[in-house]
Every structure is written in C-alpha cells, then in structure tokens.
Amino acid sequence: MKSLYHDQRKTSDETSLMEVSSFNLVLLAEIIHHYFPTIIELHNYSNASGKSQKLYNWNTLNTKVFKKMGFQLHRLDIDSVIAAEPEGIERILKLVKDMVRQLILDN
C-alpha cells in the first residue's frame, strides 16, 4: 500500500500541509493525483492568493474530484479553509485522507 504521508513524496510546494494560513490546494491536488491520476486533471488548479481564485479551485476540486471519490464538501467547510479558520483545513485533510485510504483498500 502506498503511504499517505506528505514528506515521502516530492511536490511543487515543500511547505507543510498544516500551515493553514498559506494552505496550497495545488499540493492537495497533486497528492490526490498521485493515488488516482485518472480522476484529476492538474491543469485545472493554479496557485491562488485571492479569495475568488481559491473559491474556484475548491469548487472545482469538490465537484470534479471529490464527487468521483464518493463525497463532497459543504460550502461552509470551503469558506472555512479560504478564511484560514482554525481547524478548517484539518477537517478536510482528515476526510480526504480517510477517503483515499478507503478507496485504496477497496481496489
């Protein structure tokens, strides 16, 4: 089974996933692509600093990828991450990690 730990894979952004104020959705997209390259197209995601681009990236990931993985985020969770609220990204990362694990075990 492939490991789910960020530090064991090379990505375009070497910052920690838990640095909430500068969380990079592109990094999450790359990690998902590593496990499921057929359900995600990395060109759909760009580094974003503005709220509207972050919202576009999260909505795209939510509707195009998470839906295929069997779940979707609530808009309030997306808003929480964009606003860098405490525990916002941690909830999503735990959910994504659990879903990736389950999908790997099911295959």
Side-chain angles (χ1 to χ4, degrees):
M1 185 167 101
K2 295 177 183 177
S3 173
L4 295 179
Y5 292 100
H6 163 70
D7 60 351
Q8 294 179 358
R9 105 164 214 76
K10 184 176 171 73
T11 61
S12 64
D13 184 353
E14 293 300 324
T15 59
S16 166
L17 284 178
M18 294 302 167
E19 290 179 24
V20 178
S21 62
S22 63
F23 181 76
N24 185 346
L25 180 128
V26 175
L27 177 58
L28 179 58
E30 289 176 350
I31 291 169
I32 294 169
H33 183 266
H34 175 76
Y35 295 101
F36 310 105
T38 60
I39 69 167
I40 189 167
E41 298 176 21
L42 292 176
H43 70 269
N44 286 330
Y45 309 96
S46 61
N47 288 316
S49 58
K51 183 177 178 179
S52 62
Q53 185 62 42
K54 288 179 182 182
L55 184 59
Y56 172 81
N57 283 346
W58 277 106
N59 285 332
T60 302
L61 189 67
N62 200 30
T63 58
K64 291 189 174 197
V65 178
F66 291 162
K67 187 174 181 178
K68 291 177 187 176
M69 292 175 71
F71 72 99
Q72 284 195 279
L73 301 175
H74 192 277
R75 173 64 190 257
L76 293 175
D77 290 322
I78 293 172
D79 290 342
S80 175
V81 172
I82 291 171
E85 292 176 2
E87 304 297 319
I89 192 61
E90 288 85 356
R91 284 191 308 271
I92 292 173
L93 291 176
K94 183 179 180 335
L95 176 62
V96 171
K97 180 178 124 181
D98 292 345
M99 292 304 295
V100 167
R101 238 188 220 142
Q102 189 60 49
L103 289 170
I104 288 171
L105 291 174
D106 289 347
N107 290 327

